[in-house]
Amino acid sequence: MNSSSAAENSAKAEAVETRLSGYDLLLHPALNKGTAFTEEERDAFALHGLLPPHVGNLEDQLERRMKAFDCETNSFDRYNFMRNLQDSNETLFYALITGNVEKFLPIVYTPTVGEGCQRFSETWLKPRGLFISYPNKKRIDQMLADPRYDKVRCIVVSDGERILGLGDQGAGGMGIPIGKMALYTALAGVHPEHCLPVLLDVGTDNEERLKDPIYIGWRNKRVRGQEYDDFVEAFVSAVKRRWPHILLQWEDFAGSNANRLLERYRDRLCTFNDDIQGTAAVATATVLGAVQATGIPMKEQRIGFLGFGSAGIGIANLLLAAMKEDGLSEEDAHKQFYPVDRYGLILTGQAGLRPDQVRYARKKSDLEGWTLSGSEQISLADVARNAKLTVLIGVSSQAGAFTEEIVREMAKHTDRPAIFPLSNPTSKSEATPADLTKWTNGRALIGTGSPFPPAEINGKTVEFSQTNNSYIFPGLALGILTSKAKHVSDAMIMAAAKALAALSPTLKNKEASLLPPITDSRKVSLPVAEAVGKQAIAEGLAGVADEKSFEAELREYVWEPVYRPYVRLNN
């Protein structure tokens, strides 16, 4: 944003009224403008002497912070730099991100946020969001009652048990709700004061954390079973009492709880699980982009999975719905899926299957004529050789699991194999896009969960699509909030996926990336929000009267990171 446009936006902005002054004003991250306070504001709010005499503007500060950011020597220090900036000046923090999404997204979100969670205890300085620990279960209403939360409209909550592909991080998992909420604002314009990150601290089974003398969480083994369920119920009930129309996003819960909690609460309040539904939407959009690039209809795609927990099943469910929309019966659609988990291809009668896995289990009769490697388990290599996959999706957190043998086998049977190693962070990716490109002689259509640098292939620079949930969940939240949706339906998730697929560059160029560039993330959120809100209206789930009212609400709602004039209220 240039100086004239920022000044114009600031001039149009409604004035901020506050009783805070002096240090109290400068220490409030939502209100602090630093050197951008005008002379008149410095007079009115007793800021002379607390600020250097230079009166600047947002553009000056952006240049200064960018230089300081670039002086940091590694990604974690840059992550910490941005977290400290967020806790001192939110407007400047968001202006930096929105001005250069591609540069800052990998720092404030995946992959660097993973290390931020692992090292959360050594860097925590200022309160942001709420830590609701098990010993405080009787104080939840009291904690939520603080007037500072009166304007909250959306919550991202985690219990820290399955942080990315890194596992149980206990209280350090708070880095994920903080990061997700930051993207609500940076990529969709949800006002920061409407966002509340929450960590349900029910202990941790991570021995490294429990033995760490500086660990900031509740030093106890994880609470499980009925005690855990009762605690979550107490939290949800308190949230519903405090904010009857809240949007609650579940984040990084272990597979044993993720689906179960979503199903339990999805009809009681407006809620979704990004690991299940957001991942499903962005993966489905990417597959639809591959359909456009290859010309192979959705109903003819043969889809393999490595990893078939909550995320894999969520993706499969949405892709199954897309196949049914393309004309397949439910029974025939199921035959297009080949889920591989830790015990190989999932088969009917296998011990230990979850109910949501059973519906995708393959019958042994489906495998007649297959040539197998001879082991008891049917491996991903066996599946690639016999099923002639057109799409391969990885949500296993097994680095390097998409081997050269598997990828080359897949490429024998389809001209343009679509391969999506989606596990985060980068260290957990099933393959690097450079290797996938090399092993398929440049024919693979690739989407990754975390950002990877371009690769030089046969003298040509190749960019890789980042199949990142950040394309979906900010716009999904924006559409839910502005349509005042009562619940989040499966059709609303599909609407988000289709809206993203409609922006795929493959519609104009079959050789292009499957998804828009990550730099366009903020632009993507608006059409996703429009599609979600209109679907909510069509299903009778919206609190707005009609599409015209929704569109007006959407236009008025989006927050921009610009400084506004301040007016002091008398105490």
Side-chain angles (χ1 to χ4, degrees):
M1 182 185 294
N2 59 40
S3 309
S4 60
S5 62
E8 183 181 347
N9 284 334
S10 183
K12 291 178 181 177
E14 182 181 346
V16 174
E17 297 180 337
T18 180
R19 289 184 171 84
L20 297 179
S21 64
Y23 273 113
D24 291 336
L25 181 59
L26 296 178
L27 293 176
H28 197 299
L31 297 176
N32 181 26
K33 296 198 287 188
T35 56
F37 281 106
T38 65
E39 287 286 354
E40 294 77 14
E41 288 169 338
R42 295 178 191 213
D43 288 340
F45 292 96
L47 298 175
H48 289 295
L50 300 178
L51 295 169
H54 168 73
V55 177
N57 56 37
L58 184 58
E59 281 64 39
D60 297 332
Q61 294 174 338
L62 286 170
E63 182 178 358
R64 192 179 299 123
R65 290 302 89 202
M66 187 71 83
K67 286 183 178 178
F69 178 88
D70 287 340
C71 286
E72 301 292 348
T73 57
N74 60 67
S75 293
F76 177 73
D77 287 344
R78 290 180 171 187
Y79 169 83
N80 214 28
F81 175 94
M82 292 298 289
R83 281 289 299 110
N84 289 333
L85 180 59
Q86 185 182 17
D87 286 340
S88 60
N89 185 329
E90 285 187 336
T91 302
L92 181 53
F93 169 81
Y94 287 115
L96 267 178
I97 299 173
T98 58
N100 198 332
V101 172
E102 188 172 15
K103 181 171 186 169
F104 287 101
L105 195 60
I107 300 300
V108 300
Y109 189 48
T110 55
T112 314
V113 70
E115 187 175 0
C117 291
Q118 291 175 305
R119 301 175 64 180
F120 195 88
S121 292
E122 69 184 79
T123 60
W124 185 87
L125 286 173
K126 296 180 180 179
R128 176 167 290 273
L130 277 174
F131 291 87
I132 301 179
S133 63
Y134 187 76
N136 280 323
K137 58 183 176 291
K138 294 183 179 179
R139 298 188 178 98
I140 298 176
D141 285 298
Q142 175 189 334
M143 288 187 279
L144 300 183
D146 194 300
R148 78 183 71 183
Y149 305 131
D150 285 351
K151 295 183 179 180
V152 166
R153 293 184 62 183
C154 47
I155 289 172
V156 173
V157 61
S158 179
D159 69 354
E161 187 171 9
R162 195 211 63 98
I163 298 301
L164 304 176
L166 303 171
D168 189 347
Q169 299 302 319
M174 177 58 111
I176 295 295
I178 289 173
K180 290 278 185 175
M181 297 255 76
L183 297 195
Y184 270 43
T185 300
L187 302 186
V190 176
H191 199 296
E193 68 184 6
H194 293 171
C195 300
L196 180 63
V198 174
L199 191 284
L200 299 180
D201 188 352
V202 293
T204 178
D205 291 335
N206 186 325
E207 289 296 331
E208 184 179 354
R209 298 290 168 267
L210 291 173
K211 293 176 181 177
D212 186 349
I214 67 169
Y215 177 58
I216 63 171
W218 181 44
R219 207 175 293 269
N220 203 81
K221 288 287 189 180
R222 276 191 175 270
V223 171
R224 298 194 182 276
Q226 192 60 49
E227 288 181 302
Y228 176 87
D229 285 355
D230 291 346
F231 180 66
V232 174
E233 173 64 28
F235 165 70
V236 172
S237 298
V239 165
K240 187 73 173 172
R241 284 191 293 271
R242 178 68 162 97
W243 304 285
H245 306 294
I246 197 76
L247 165 62
L248 179 67
Q249 176 184 326
W250 305 90
E251 188 64 37
D252 283 0
F253 285 76
S256 58
N257 291 321
N259 266 308
R260 193 170 59 84
L261 293 176
L262 178 62
E263 290 305 314
R264 177 177 297 169
Y265 293 113
R266 67 183 304 173
D267 294 327
R268 278 183 53 184
L269 73 165
C270 186
T271 189
F272 72 97
N273 183 305
D274 186 52
D275 303 304
I276 299 171
Q277 294 161 294
T279 302
V282 73
T284 297
T286 313
V287 172
L288 291 173
V291 167
Q292 289 155 184
T294 63
I296 300 173
M298 187 70 210
K299 63 185 179 182
E300 295 178 16
Q301 298 289 339
R302 297 178 298 281
I303 303 174
F305 286 84
L306 184 62
F308 210 60
S310 298
I313 293 166
I315 295 169
N317 287 344
L318 204 61
L319 289 172
L320 183 86
M323 287 185 172
K324 289 167 68 177
E325 286 186 13
D326 204 31
L328 289 184
S329 67
E330 176 115 4
E331 182 181 358
D332 287 340
H334 274 106
K335 294 177 182 177
Q336 303 299 103
F337 292 87
Y338 297 85
V340 176
D341 216 357
R342 61 171 134 174
Y343 300 119
L345 181 66
I346 293 177
L347 298 171
T348 55
Q350 223 171 55
L353 292 184
R354 289 166 25 189
D356 47 4
Q357 292 175 317
V358 169
R359 64 191 296 234
Y360 288 98
R362 300 307 302 253
K363 299 175 183 176
K364 290 187 178 179
S365 59
D366 294 340
L367 314 182
E368 289 180 8
W370 278 33
T371 303
L372 303 177
S373 57
S375 65
E376 291 184 9
Q377 298 177 7
I378 299 174
S379 68
L380 182 60
D382 289 327
V383 172
R385 182 168 55 253
N386 292 280
K388 299 179 175 54
L389 301 176
T390 58
V391 177
L392 178 58
I393 297 170
V395 280
S396 67
S397 298
Q398 296 179 36
F402 291 173
T403 64
E404 181 174 357
E405 174 197 2
I406 290 168
V407 172
R408 288 191 182 278
E409 184 65 44
M410 187 178 173
K412 287 180 185 177
H413 306 292
T414 185
D415 185 51
R416 302 199 68 192
I419 308 176
F420 307 137
L422 300 184
S423 292
N424 285 315
T426 310
S427 61
K428 300 292 184 180
S429 182
E430 287 81 5
T432 67
D435 280 343
L436 295 176
T437 303
K438 180 172 68 175
W439 297 336
T440 61
N441 297 318
R443 293 187 285 124
L445 296 160
I446 300 168
T448 63
S450 283
F452 280 86
E456 290 291 326
I457 308 294
N458 299 324
K460 180 182 176 183
T461 300
V462 179
E463 302 274 351
F464 303 108
S465 294
Q466 189 182 342
T467 306
N468 195 303
N469 291 21
S470 60
Y471 280 112
I472 290 291
F473 72 81
L476 177 62
L478 178 61
I480 291 167
L481 292 172
T482 52
S483 68
K484 299 179 172 62
K486 300 165 189 171
H487 301 288
V488 182
S489 69
D490 292 338
M492 290 163 67
I493 302 297
M494 181 64 86
K498 289 181 177 179
L500 177 57
L503 300 173
S504 172
T506 58
L507 284 169
K508 296 180 179 178
N509 177 5
K510 295 187 184 302
E511 302 300 318
S513 296
L514 299 174
L515 295 175
I518 205 74
T519 52
D520 289 346
S521 294
R522 191 169 170 95
K523 296 176 184 175
V524 167
S525 291
L526 191 59
V528 169
E530 289 174 343
V532 168
K534 289 177 180 179
Q535 182 62 37
I537 293 168
E539 292 184 75
L541 295 174
V544 293
D546 49 36
E547 288 190 7
K548 185 176 180 181
S549 301
F550 163 62
E551 289 166 358
E553 180 76 19
L554 185 58
R555 283 194 302 271
E556 291 295 317
Y557 182 80
V558 174
W559 179 82
E560 297 289 347
V562 296
Y563 289 139
R564 296 160 64 186
Y566 284 18
V567 174
R568 184 169 182 177
L569 296 175
N570 295 324
N571 290 321

